Amino acid sequence: MRALLSVSDKTGIVEFAKNLESLGFEIISTGGTRKILKENGIKVIDISEVTQFPECFGGRVKTLNPYVHGGILYRSGVDDEEAKKLGIKRIDLVCVNLYPFKETIERTDDFEEIIENIDIGGPTMVRSAAKNFKDVLIVTDVNDYDKVIEAIKNKQDTFEFRRDLMIKAFEHTAAYDSMIANYMNERFNEGFGDKKFIVGKKVFNTRYGENPHQRGALYEFEDFYNNLNVLKGELSFNNLTDINGAVKIAVSLGEGAISIIKHANPCGAAKKEDLITTWQKALECDPISAYGGVVAVNGVVDKELAEEINKIFVEVLIAGKITDEAVKVFEKKKRIKLVDLGQAKLEIPGDMCDFKHIEGGFVFQDADKVEEDEVANAKCVTNICVEDKKDLEMAWKIAALTKSNCVVFVKDSQMVAIGMGMTSRVDATRCAVEKAKQLGLDITGSSLASEAFFPFRDSVDYAAEVGVKAIIQPGGSIRDDEVIEAANEAGIAMYFTGKRHFLH
């Protein structure tokens, strides 16, 4: 039996080769892999002995040869006579992982070096071995080395076992080629080429999707979700989408902020002098909706904060860190899910792109975000301006992450009212105000944000009735003059950012 080993990631390769050797395999290898194996006392056949041709063109051509691919691709029981006639010997196992293209583009912008780190022979061998998986074991994942050795040793390298390795191999080369194509389109076509490849790595299956009759799973681009510590419970499909919304708001507001999400909509947010007060103020905005919601704490949940949160039922609590003492507080709550990142604060991956499924395809765009200086540089368009824009900034950031049409009221670093997902902006304003009145929240002196311009002055007139002191919006309506006039009449400061943040 013969095994061909040619890997860029050398992790575990020496031990794997030793185990194969002990099972009676001859080891064929190339370049750096051959060198490290020889240094560790493993008898290695150089690839040029198999190909009867030297490596050439700076290593570009090593394995592209009939003695290699014939040995991988010929079919037992079908091509045996032809292989014998041609002097081609079986290669029974191929272990390949590919040139480090991702690491290269992260390290350098040198296009010549990037081109040289596009693997050709590796993917070709992987695809050949995967195609002939019934005869050849294809290994592309260092985490599978022990499993493969055990399967061979115990004669459990069944059709199903080989088939699973085959699927993983094609996933490996597809992801690699997709990464290269996406990079080239980023570099030369501003990221919008004729094809867009979206590749994710499965983290886990969810019990079901949005509804019990739908299947679901979580996939990640890098390793963000693998770094989540699920301390209690099992995250559902809907939990994950709500966690995304809650964490994005909490991170955007900064360390020490808390946000509450219910059915993808924010129903509470605050950032006060301490996390206990912050939680209490976030909850005040809509304690009814917060019941069964998702809470994101951009900080550390200790026992004291846990006891406060535990006074109501929340379905998910995610934080930078949840202490062991805090976890014990929730022991008797069977349905709560606890998740942390094992660090002092929350983080998000900060994806540069965004996409959404539509029937028959998807729409793709640059990711939206509020720039750090967006509110600071907003233009005051009224006779009255405000010195402190802290509440305006908080309202603006929440509005940017809330379903349109939306308005957000913030007072003293606490969200006190919100209207979202409405077909009319004035309806969103009315709904927000009425909810605040029902809860006895004083929104006099609050700051209001609208993620898109006011098409009429009616929302401003309504905001004036409840004592709003400042408004921030993109501007750009054909009736901007009327809207500004309404603000001046009411003594409201109004700022234009010049940037819209629709979320549909």
Side-chain angles (χ1 to χ4, degrees):
M1 295 185 294
R2 299 194 303 169
L4 196 164
L5 313 184
S6 180
V7 294
S8 291
D9 181 356
K10 307 296 192 294
T11 305
I13 194 62
V14 172
E15 190 64 26
F16 186 52
K18 285 180 177 178
N19 283 323
L20 288 172
E21 200 172 42
S22 71
L23 290 170
F25 280 84
E26 291 182 320
I27 308 297
I28 305 165
S29 194
T30 65
T33 308
R34 179 182 61 82
K35 183 173 182 288
I36 195 171
L37 295 181
K38 283 191 73 174
E39 287 172 353
N40 282 274
I42 297 165
K43 186 178 179 182
V44 185
I45 300 169
D46 189 277
I47 192 69
S48 61
E49 294 181 40
V50 176
T51 62
Q52 300 174 28
F53 205 88
E55 291 186 18
C56 55
F57 310 131
R60 280 188 166 200
V61 178
K62 294 191 283 274
T63 59
L64 299 170
N65 182 282
Y67 287 109
V68 173
H69 288 279
I72 296 171
L73 279 165
Y74 87 77
R75 296 161 292 180
S76 295
V78 177
D79 302 317
D80 297 354
E81 286 301 316
E82 187 175 2
K84 186 177 180 181
K85 180 180 177 182
L86 294 170
I88 291 172
K89 292 174 63 179
R90 164 71 69 212
I91 294 173
D92 304 275
L93 183 150
V94 173
C95 177
V96 171
N97 56 59
L98 308 177
Y99 287 0
F101 184 82
K102 180 176 181 292
E103 292 79 2
T104 304
I105 60 177
E106 288 174 347
R107 178 175 50 80
T108 183
D109 195 47
D110 183 340
F111 192 59
E112 290 304 314
E113 185 176 351
I114 288 166
I115 286 292
E116 290 308 313
N117 276 279
I118 296 175
D119 204 331
I120 302 301
T124 307
M125 285 191 291
V126 170
R127 289 174 59 83
S128 294
K131 179 171 181 173
N132 200 26
F133 72 94
K134 289 188 288 185
D135 291 323
V136 181
L137 284 160
I138 173 61
V139 186
T140 56
D141 186 345
V142 298
N143 296 311
D144 288 338
Y145 290 173
D146 290 343
K147 183 170 70 174
V148 169
I149 293 298
E150 286 303 308
I152 297 170
K153 189 182 295 184
N154 298 312
K155 301 190 185 307
Q156 292 176 344
D157 52 332
T158 60
F159 176 87
E160 291 76 15
F161 181 82
R162 291 165 175 264
R163 181 195 61 199
D164 289 346
L165 291 176
M166 172 268 291
I167 293 169
K168 184 176 280 192
F170 281 122
E171 289 173 341
H172 188 57
T173 56
Y176 190 76
D177 286 338
S178 296
M179 176 171 52
I180 295 169
N182 284 345
Y183 170 79
M184 294 302 176
N185 274 322
E186 283 290 335
R187 184 159 186 146
F188 299 112
N189 291 318
E190 299 181 332
F192 289 83
D194 290 341
K195 298 282 192 303
K196 174 60 67 176
F197 300 96
I198 296 166
V199 178
K201 179 175 58 178
K202 188 161 80 171
V203 182
F204 56 77
N205 290 323
T206 55
R207 280 204 298 162
Y208 49 78
E210 277 184 297
N211 300 289
H213 62 274
Q214 296 169 271
R215 293 176 298 167
L218 169 65
Y219 290 82
E220 63 181 353
F221 298 132
E222 298 293 339
D223 295 316
F224 178 76
Y225 289 100
N226 262 320
N227 293 330
L228 288 183
N229 303 308
V230 181
L231 307 173
K232 179 178 170 60
E234 178 187 6
L235 297 177
S236 72
F237 185 99
N238 293 330
N239 290 159
L240 290 163
T241 56
D242 283 347
I243 284 171
N244 178 62
V247 170
K248 285 173 77 171
I249 290 175
V251 169
S252 75
L253 300 182
E255 192 169 357
I258 294 178
S259 66
I260 309 170
I261 291 281
K262 185 68 172 289
H263 295 308
N265 291 312
C267 59
K271 185 183 176 184
K272 306 296 280 187
E273 60 273 11
D274 62 82
L275 285 173
I276 297 284
T277 307
T278 296
W279 163 251
Q280 292 166 345
K281 293 301 181 182
L283 185 61
E284 274 183 2
C285 183
D286 191 349
I288 296 170
S289 294
Y291 182 88
V294 171
V295 177
V297 178
N298 195 357
V300 177
V301 177
D302 58 14
K303 181 182 178 183
E304 188 181 7
L305 178 56
E307 287 171 344
E308 282 294 313
I309 294 172
N310 202 35
K311 290 177 181 178
I312 72 162
F313 168 65
V314 298
E315 186 168 359
V316 180
L317 172 61
I318 180 168
K321 174 70 177 173
I322 304 175
T323 67
D324 293 341
E325 294 76 16
V327 172
K328 289 178 182 176
V329 170
F330 299 104
E331 275 181 343
K332 293 183 180 179
K333 292 282 181 75
K334 293 183 179 179
R335 292 169 55 203
I336 193 170
K337 290 88 177 274
L338 303 177
V339 187
D340 76 11
L341 293 176
Q343 57 192 34
K345 62 180 182 177
L346 289 172
E347 291 179 352
I348 54 174
D351 294 333
M352 300 301 293
C353 65
D354 183 29
F355 60 94
K356 185 181 297 184
H357 169 251
I358 59 173
E359 201 70 20
F362 60 89
V363 286
F364 181 91
Q365 62 178 351
D366 298 326
D368 187 28
K369 66 175 181 177
V370 175
E371 301 295 340
E372 286 301 315
D373 59 354
E374 210 164 296
V375 176
N377 293 338
K379 180 183 178 183
C380 183
V381 295
T382 47
N383 299 329
I384 299 171
C385 302
V386 294
E387 289 187 16
D388 186 356
K389 295 182 182 177
K390 187 166 64 175
D391 286 350
L392 282 172
E393 182 169 11
M394 184 174 182
W396 183 243
K397 286 180 174 179
I398 295 171
L401 293 165
T402 301
K403 287 285 186 182
S404 304
N405 285 325
C406 79
V407 292
V408 177
F409 295 72
V410 169
K411 181 180 179 180
D412 299 330
S413 299
Q414 172 192 5
M415 187 171 80
V416 289
I418 185 168
M420 79 292 279
M422 308 296 287
T423 54
S424 159
R425 201 160 298 278
V426 70
D427 285 347
T429 308
R430 287 197 182 100
C431 284
V433 170
E434 287 305 309
K435 191 73 171 278
K437 285 179 179 178
Q438 290 170 20
L439 293 166
L441 291 171
D442 181 14
I443 58 178
T444 305
S446 63
S447 295
L448 181 153
S450 170
E451 93 291 359
F453 64 65
F454 291 108
F456 304 99
R457 63 174 285 164
D458 48 8
S459 293
V460 179
D461 290 334
Y462 198 64
E465 291 178 22
V466 295
V468 166
K469 73 171 183 180
I471 293 174
I472 189 165
Q473 57 138 321
S477 167
I478 60 172
R479 294 184 177 84
D480 274 349
D481 290 344
E482 295 175 26
V483 172
I484 294 168
E485 183 182 358
N488 278 325
E489 288 173 5
I492 296 174
M494 180 173 285
Y495 288 83
F496 283 4
T497 64
K499 192 171 183 179
R500 187 184 76 184
H501 289 286
F502 268 162
L503 179 62
H504 287 166

